[in-house]
Structure formats: structure tokens, C-alpha cells
Amino acid sequence: MPSYSSATPFASVYHAPVMIDEILDQLDRLATKSTSAAPLARIIDLTCGGGGHSEAFLTYLRAQNLNHVEVIGVDRDSDSKEEASQRLKDFPNFHHCLKNFGDLTPDDLGGPVDFVLGDLGVSSHQIDDPSRGFRYGGNVKGGVAGPLDMRMDGNNGLSAADIVNDYPEEALLKILVDHGGEKYMSAKRIVAEIVRSRPMTRTDELTAAIERVTPKWSKSSPRKGALKTKARVFQAIRVAVNDEMVSASDGIDEGLCTTSFGITFC
Ligand SMILES: C[S@@+](CC[C@H](N)C(=O)[O-])C[C@H]1O[C@@H](n2cnc3c(N)ncnc32)[C@H](O)[C@@H]1O
């Protein structure tokens, strides 16, 4: 069983995948248990991104002479399709599926699935590109502002600007509390300031609104400071824009229904 001494094996400029040793360890246990009557057939990487975890699977499979096992990398972001398909072009058993994993059908998977991985959230590539609108820079030193977008799949559905400008105050409050873990009174202050500052079209406008009602730092509790608060608010809005809770529960249902052995979410 390979063990990677580097802190970030299979990292690329696109993203540094986490928990490689732990994930490959689980796959190795599965492979050891499989038999010629019930061989491994298919691994699904639900959140393929730059293909780091997929490459780890494929490298493991190649080393074990298990090249018949297919790895399907799913992602709703077309940048992932471009990046991972190019990166993994020397592995004929890799296929990319450009889709929200919550909408996967048995046809997309092509047969029984043995192992499902979900590395939920956003990739570094998405955060690093200011034009995607995930980045809470703009006012921070070195930060770059972008459009208030945050859609993982390009132009589909509501953007962050649609939510920030059009949602009622109560709905925004619920988003900040439920998806960002923002404390109620702080969320109320931030939402009131967002509503006062409408319309907003850029990330630096949202950042500035949060900063106006948040202390720069707090000695008693770092979580109350502006940096962490901006991170929570941006995360909450991103989760709402991409309907991430619904997708995750649909993806887990799909994974559990189709997987014969293992499911891993990290
Ligand atoms: C943390 S990154 C995964 C990075 C990946 N493991 C790698 O090694 O590069 C999360 C990825 O999941 C994708 N994603 C998030 N929610 C998704 C969903 N519901 N359906 C498909 N892809 C999703 C994002 O677009 C992003 O590329």
C-alpha cells in the first residue's frame, strides 16, 4: 500500500487534495477484499475538481494491475472537465462527467459502483479566480474584487448578486445562520447593512458592507473579527447559490444506493 511522505501528494496549481493516504488506505482494503467472482469495477469521484484524488486512484489502480477499474470524475464546473481530462489523458480508464452530482442517474455511472468519494466545497482554483466571485478580497490587502457570482456551474441558476439583492431580509438571515454558522445578532446586523447597501454587484461591495458592521478584530474571540466573519458570510451565500445542502444529500443518497462497499466524504 503506497504511503506518500509529501504533505500534499497529487497537488496541482488547481487544487491540493486532502487525506490521500487515508482514502487510498480504504480503497486498498476494498481491493484486498474483492475477488475474481466479485471484482472491483468502478470508482466515483463526485467532486473531481483538478483531478487530484482521481489521479491518486488511477495511480494506485495502475500499480496494482487493476486497470480495468473505471474512475469517473464528476464535477459541475466546466473548468474541471478541461483540467482533469487533460491531466489524466494517459489513463484510458478515466472519464469525466460534467454534472451536478445530485442529478446523477444510473446511466451516468454505467454500472455498479464500488467506491464513492466526495470532497465537498470549493476548489482553490475557484477561489483564486476573482472573476468567479468566491473570493472575499477587494478590501483586504492584495485582494482582488470580482462580480458577485459564486456559481460553480457558470451561468446556471441564481448568482450571489441575485440572492444578496433580491432575497427578503428573513431569508438572508436564515442563510447566514444556517449555512455560515453566524451568530443571530451578528447576522442581523450584517443583513441590515446588506439591505441598506443594495444593489450590490461586486465582491468588494459585499466585503465593505460586512466590514462596516464588524470589528476589525476581537481580542476575546477571533471568530468575531472581520476576516473570519467575511469567510462565514461568503461561505453561507456560496452554499445557498449552489444549493449545496440539497446536492450533498442527493449525492449521498445516490452513493449509498449504488455503492457495494465504501463511501467516503471528506
Ligand atoms: C474541494 S474541490 C475538490 C477538489 C478535488 N478533490 C481535487 O483533487 O482537485 C470541490 C469540487 O466539487 C465541485 N462540486 C461541488 N459541489 C458539486 C456538485 N453538487 N456537483 C458536482 N460538483 C460539485 C466543485 O465545482 C469543486 O470543483
Side-chain angles (χ1 to χ4, degrees):
M1 173 48 213
S3 171
Y4 293 94
S5 51
S6 148
T8 52
F10 301 102
S12 69
V13 190
Y14 197 103
H15 191 81
V18 295
M19 297 174 70
I20 293 286
D21 281 342
E22 292 83 351
I23 291 164
L24 289 184
D25 189 45
Q26 288 204 35
L27 179 59
D28 188 54
R29 283 184 212 190
L30 217 57
T32 311
K33 273 197 259 163
S34 69
T35 61
S36 53
L40 283 189
R42 208 163 273 102
I43 295 171
I44 310 291
D45 179 355
L46 285 178
T47 49
C48 180
H53 284 113
S54 287
E55 187 177 27
F57 290 141
L58 291 158
T59 305
Y60 169 86
L61 293 169
R62 188 170 275 179
Q64 305 295 317
N65 255 329
L66 293 170
N67 295 315
H68 63 278
V69 180
E70 288 184 51
V71 176
I72 300 171
V74 182
D75 204 292
R76 67 202 297 191
D77 187 336
S78 58
D79 285 0
S80 159
K81 184 176 172 68
E82 203 174 304
E83 173 77 14
S85 305
Q86 174 61 26
R87 173 177 182 175
L88 303 173
K89 62 181 184 317
D90 293 335
F91 293 95
N93 51 334
F94 174 75
H95 315 278
H96 195 281
C97 173
L98 182 61
K99 205 160 185 181
N100 182 335
F101 63 62
D103 298 333
L104 284 174
T105 65
D107 279 352
D108 292 319
L109 306 179
V113 174
D114 304 295
F115 194 90
V116 178
L117 173 74
D119 179 15
L120 304 177
V122 267
S123 64
S124 307
H125 169 78
Q126 288 163 328
I127 292 176
D128 289 347
D129 179 355
S131 74
R132 305 291 304 264
F134 291 102
R135 210 185 160 102
Y136 49 92
N139 303 31
V140 189
K141 195 175 162 208
V144 184
L148 257 183
D149 193 310
M150 303 196 198
R151 284 172 291 191
M152 290 178 182
D153 42 9
N155 298 325
N156 289 329
L158 295 180
S159 68
D162 293 327
I163 288 181
V164 162
N165 292 320
D166 300 339
Y167 270 28
E169 208 160 330
E170 276 308 307
L172 281 178
L173 190 58
K174 189 165 165 47
I175 287 173
L176 262 51
V177 171
D178 288 357
H179 300 329
E182 197 58 28
K183 295 273 188 268
Y184 183 81
M185 290 313 291
S186 162
K188 230 176 144 42
R189 261 196 316 276
I190 294 166
V191 168
E193 187 59 22
I194 288 175
V195 170
R196 249 196 307 277
S197 314
R198 283 171 170 171
M200 292 187 212
T201 58
R202 299 180 61 78
T203 50
D204 51 344
E205 292 170 312
L206 177 57
T207 304
I210 301 164
E211 285 173 347
R212 280 196 291 278
V213 291
T214 311
K216 205 163 184 184
W217 61 77
S218 160
K219 245 188 190 166
S220 61
S221 164
R223 83 179 298 286
K224 291 186 187 158
L227 199 63
K228 296 218 165 178
T229 306
K230 283 182 281 191
R232 288 192 298 273
V233 172
F234 270 68
Q235 172 192 294
I237 294 171
R238 184 205 89 212
V239 169
V241 166
N242 296 288
D243 226 354
E244 286 180 50
M245 302 319 259
V246 173
S247 298
S249 89
D250 288 354
I252 289 167
D253 284 349
E254 185 66 28
L256 290 174
C257 290
T258 55
T259 308
S260 51
F261 301 105
I263 181 161
T264 303
F265 277 83
C266 56

